[in-house]
Amino acid sequence: MPPTPPMPPLPTLLVLDADPPPRLGRLTGRARIVHADESTLAARLPYADVLFVWDYTSRAVLDAWPGEGARPRWVHTASAGVDHLMCPELVASDTVVTNARGIFDQPIAEYVAALVLAMAKDLPRTLHLQERHEWRHRESQRVAGTKACVVGSGPIGRAIARYLKALGVTTAIVGRVPRTGIHGPDDLNRLMARADWVICAAPLTAETHRMFDTRRFGVMQPSARFVNVGRGQLVDEHALAEALSKRWIAGAALDVFEQEPLMPDSPLWEVPGLIVSPHMSGDTMGWRDELSAQFVEFYERWESGKTLTNVVDKQRGYVPGH
């Protein structure tokens, strides 16, 4: 009887961990799962076939990727943004990068709609007055009939536009390239100047870094409000604070910041008319399980040789085709 041929070695799946860890039980016996943190990632990268960046807040990949030895053939990040990965060496390599597109669209759109309603109906002040036991009648703004400019034409931006339209808001979307239903960058200032709501859901690239600056806030109406659920580095925070303090715009809400977490002594906490939330707009109950299940589904496609979905254009910094 001929000897049984040896089993091929299992692919090595390297996980850049965060607490709690991802649920990868379905991959038992199908992958050799190795865990790493910021201190061990560089040493383990050359031996990995796949890197799963579960800790999407870490910038360890930027530091660890350049260096000696082989690199994973595929990197997946449990986030929509990929700016925490894209060092020149990774961009120039043959490594495929995928992201978590599709997980956060609806939750972030719900969050933005909630912020629009909260600001229009002056809910922050209502809660503040309740704490002081102060009865102060006011009039609030009607949302239906207002105009919004959504910056970012990806799935998140399009979901935000759908939710705002359901509230009766006339919505225009601005993307990198003009096409049917999407305005190009040349229209941004014109649309912002007419908007009651300017919503930022753009990816962070060299072109979009600090795109919302003093000039852009100066374009907006004094009655307008600004919301950022994209990346903190899209906004010049000092310029936004100045615009609010000088009442160039009526209000703003930030869910993302240049430096996270926001330090207790940050002046942003005290800026009048600014709502601060701790990068939570996409994080609904069960979101980690959804991210784990998505990665397992992608791994099974990769394992069987099928084409991966959510493939990032590494030059542009996002998934194209939207």
Side-chain angles (χ1 to χ4, degrees):
M1 186 174 181
T4 303
M7 295 292 291
L10 295 175
T12 298
L13 167 58
L14 180 61
V15 181
L16 179 59
D17 261 339
D19 188 38
R23 293 177 178 267
L24 302 176
R26 277 169 52 188
L27 299 184
T28 301
R30 298 161 61 185
R32 176 176 172 264
I33 301 176
V34 178
H35 297 270
D37 58 22
E38 294 186 356
S39 66
T40 59
L41 181 65
R44 295 176 182 176
L45 269 179
Y47 307 100
D49 298 293
V50 179
L51 172 62
F52 181 19
V53 184
W54 179 247
D55 185 0
Y56 63 87
T57 66
S58 172
R59 302 183 72 82
V61 176
L62 291 172
D63 296 327
W65 195 274
E68 300 296 325
R71 290 294 182 261
R73 292 173 283 163
W74 167 36
V75 175
H76 177 78
T77 178
S79 60
V82 296
D83 49 279
H84 57 296
L85 307 175
M86 290 306 182
C87 60
E89 293 82 359
L90 175 54
V91 172
S93 73
D94 294 331
T95 296
V96 175
V97 176
T98 58
N99 71 355
R101 184 175 71 151
I103 299 295
F104 301 107
D105 309 354
Q106 183 178 6
I108 292 178
E110 291 176 351
Y111 200 88
V112 170
L115 286 171
V116 167
L117 289 169
M119 287 189 282
K121 303 307 177 185
D122 203 20
L123 292 184
R125 186 179 302 184
T126 295
L127 295 174
H128 175 69
L129 292 172
Q130 180 179 350
E131 289 179 354
R132 297 173 54 180
H133 298 190
E134 185 173 342
W135 181 280
R136 188 185 301 176
H137 181 270
R138 290 109 57 217
E139 295 177 346
S140 65
Q141 180 182 5
R142 188 191 297 267
V143 172
T146 59
K147 297 179 180 179
C149 174
V150 177
V151 184
S153 60
I156 293 173
R158 297 199 306 272
I160 291 170
R162 288 195 300 272
Y163 272 68
L164 294 182
K165 288 177 182 177
L167 295 175
V169 179
T170 301
T171 306
I173 304 176
V174 177
R176 178 177 177 270
V177 179
R179 53 199 183 276
T180 303
I182 306 294
H183 296 267
D186 291 345
D187 292 332
L188 177 56
N189 287 348
R190 175 178 62 83
L191 293 169
M192 285 178 56
R194 301 175 180 177
D196 301 287
W197 314 97
V198 177
I199 316 296
C200 178
L204 177 60
T205 67
E207 292 75 24
T208 61
H209 183 263
R210 290 198 172 185
M211 66 181 297
F212 290 97
D213 54 12
T214 298
R215 179 175 59 91
R216 285 263 161 74
F217 291 122
V219 167
M220 294 170 62
Q221 301 182 79
S223 59
R225 294 178 175 93
F226 173 77
V227 176
N228 185 21
V229 289
R231 282 288 182 268
Q233 293 83 356
L234 297 168
V235 177
D236 182 334
E237 293 174 348
H238 177 76
L240 175 60
E242 182 181 35
L244 288 167
S245 298
K246 293 182 176 180
R247 298 185 180 179
W248 295 350
I249 61 175
L254 297 180
D255 186 56
V256 287
F257 300 85
E258 291 195 71
Q259 298 294 327
E260 296 183 7
L262 193 64
M263 293 292 101
D265 60 351
S266 170
L268 290 175
W269 293 106
E270 304 297 332
V271 173
L274 178 62
I275 298 174
V276 170
S277 59
H279 203 154
M280 59 180 285
S281 61
D283 301 348
T284 53
M285 296 176 184
W287 64 286
R288 291 184 179 87
D289 290 343
E290 292 182 44
L291 287 170
S292 298
Q294 182 189 56
F295 174 74
V296 170
E297 177 186 337
F298 285 7
Y299 185 91
E300 290 171 344
R301 293 184 65 87
W302 179 82
E303 182 183 47
S304 61
K306 296 180 180 178
T307 302
L308 286 167
T309 57
N310 287 12
V311 175
V312 172
D313 182 321
K314 293 186 290 184
Q315 295 291 339
R316 297 182 183 179
Y318 55 87
V319 179
H322 55 261

